[in-house]
Amino acid sequence: MGDELFEQTIKGDEMVNMDMVWDVVDWFKVAVLRTRERTEMEQEAIAASRLGKIYDKVLKMKDKAKEYVMRSIQLAHSMHPRTFNSEDWFKDASEILKKYQHETQEEDDAEWNKAREEIKKDIKEQLDDLEKADKKGDIGFLDYVYEKFPPKNPLHKELFEVLSKPSDIDYSKTKKLYQKAVVNYHPDRANVEENGVQWKVITEEITKLLNRRYNRMKGL
């Protein structure tokens, strides 16, 4: 009965019978409670997924939808080694959660991009100097970066100074130095709390230039 009502509810007809929608919601909520009492995890997971889909597709209540689909997925994972990847209810829950995660990431990215542009104005002189230094040769550019913007871990700079000293440094060694530099300056390693947002933006700009050179070395 519950699944029949569920299918009618999510058909997407323009004239939605809201009384029926809430009846279906109540039906599945009762199902969740009853199956939980009898420790029927799979049935509870199915009911939670159905509720999540109704809240997402019909009622447009994002928080409630997310709550139920996360519960459904958690229950599914708790039944390991059983898997439910081919089950419609698990696919529905996973797709809804993925959609919300994508939306959240897009919102976070948009917010950070806006903040980044303001930060770049404050450090324009440093970024201009970095752009000018990009005209140097590969080792010259690395020398500039490590000297002007030393990594927060001093061992990284010391290691670079040791490895880049030989006068016979060849193409292969240069490429390895760039590999290490990309890791040393990767923005994900920039601790904003300790070093501030300006340092994070600087590492983003440095990494762009490092990656461009490194990809050229790899022939990309």
Side-chain angles (χ1 to χ4, degrees), residues 88-148:
D88 288 341
W89 62 267
F90 185 80
K91 290 179 183 178
D92 288 342
S94 299
E95 288 173 5
I96 292 169
L97 183 59
K98 185 177 180 180
K99 178 183 70 173
Y100 287 157
Q101 289 173 335
H102 181 68
E103 289 174 357
T104 300
Q105 186 61 54
E106 284 188 331
E107 291 170 3
D108 290 345
D109 288 346
E111 187 176 333
W112 171 242
N113 287 336
K114 185 177 179 180
R116 182 199 288 122
E117 291 308 310
E118 292 302 313
I119 295 167
K120 287 173 73 172
K121 292 177 184 177
D122 295 333
I123 56 174
K124 184 178 184 303
E125 185 176 344
Q126 291 170 288
L127 297 183
D128 286 346
D129 289 344
L130 182 64
E131 195 67 33
K132 291 175 185 175
D134 190 37
K135 295 179 172 61
K136 297 176 179 286
D138 290 330
I139 293 298
F141 179 68
L142 282 181
D143 281 333
Y144 173 84
V145 168
Y146 276 95
E147 183 62 33
K148 187 74 174 179

Side-chain angles (χ1 to χ4, degrees), residues 36-190:
R36 186 177 298 170
E37 289 171 359
R38 296 197 297 260
T39 65
E40 296 177 6
M41 285 192 290
E42 183 176 354
Q43 293 305 312
E44 182 183 347
I46 293 171
S49 174
R50 301 288 194 243
L51 280 167
K53 191 167 184 178
I54 292 171
Y55 277 115
D56 173 62
K57 186 172 182 180
V58 183
L59 298 175
K60 311 297 183 184
M61 296 172 66
K62 181 176 177 178
D63 289 343
K64 295 296 289 184
K66 188 174 180 180
E67 174 188 337
Y68 279 108
V69 297
M70 286 182 67
R71 175 62 179 165
S72 177
I73 292 170
Q74 288 168 354
L75 286 166
H77 289 163
S78 72
M79 289 181 272
H80 182 79
R82 291 184 65 192
T83 59
F84 302 92
N85 296 332
S86 61
E87 300 292 337
D88 288 341
W89 62 267
F90 185 80
K91 290 179 183 178
D92 288 342
S94 299
E95 288 173 5
I96 292 169
L97 183 59
K98 185 177 180 180
K99 178 183 70 173
Y100 287 157
Q101 289 173 335
H102 181 68
E103 289 174 357
T104 300
Q105 186 61 54
E106 284 188 331
E107 291 170 3
D108 290 345
D109 288 346
E111 187 176 333
W112 171 242
N113 287 336
K114 185 177 179 180
R116 182 199 288 122
E117 291 308 310
E118 292 302 313
I119 295 167
K120 287 173 73 172
K121 292 177 184 177
D122 295 333
I123 56 174
K124 184 178 184 303
E125 185 176 344
Q126 291 170 288
L127 297 183
D128 286 346
D129 289 344
L130 182 64
E131 195 67 33
K132 291 175 185 175
D134 190 37
K135 295 179 172 61
K136 297 176 179 286
D138 290 330
I139 293 298
F141 179 68
L142 282 181
D143 281 333
Y144 173 84
V145 168
Y146 276 95
E147 183 62 33
K148 187 74 174 179
F149 307 102
K152 298 308 178 183
N153 184 340
L155 290 176
H156 293 159
K157 183 181 179 183
E158 290 176 20
L159 182 61
F160 166 73
E161 290 173 346
V162 170
L163 294 176
S164 62
K165 270 184 178 178
S167 57
D168 63 340
I169 187 165
D170 59 17
Y171 189 76
S172 176
K173 290 178 181 177
T174 300
K175 191 162 71 170
K176 288 180 180 178
L177 286 173
Y178 268 83
Q179 279 182 311
K180 292 182 183 297
V182 168
V183 173
N184 293 344
Y185 286 98
H186 198 285
D188 288 349
R189 302 185 68 166

Side-chain angles (χ1 to χ4, degrees), residues 14-25:
E14 291 185 9
M15 298 298 292
V16 177
N17 185 331
M18 293 308 296
D19 288 336
M20 184 176 73
V21 171
W22 288 112
D23 284 343
V24 175
V25 168

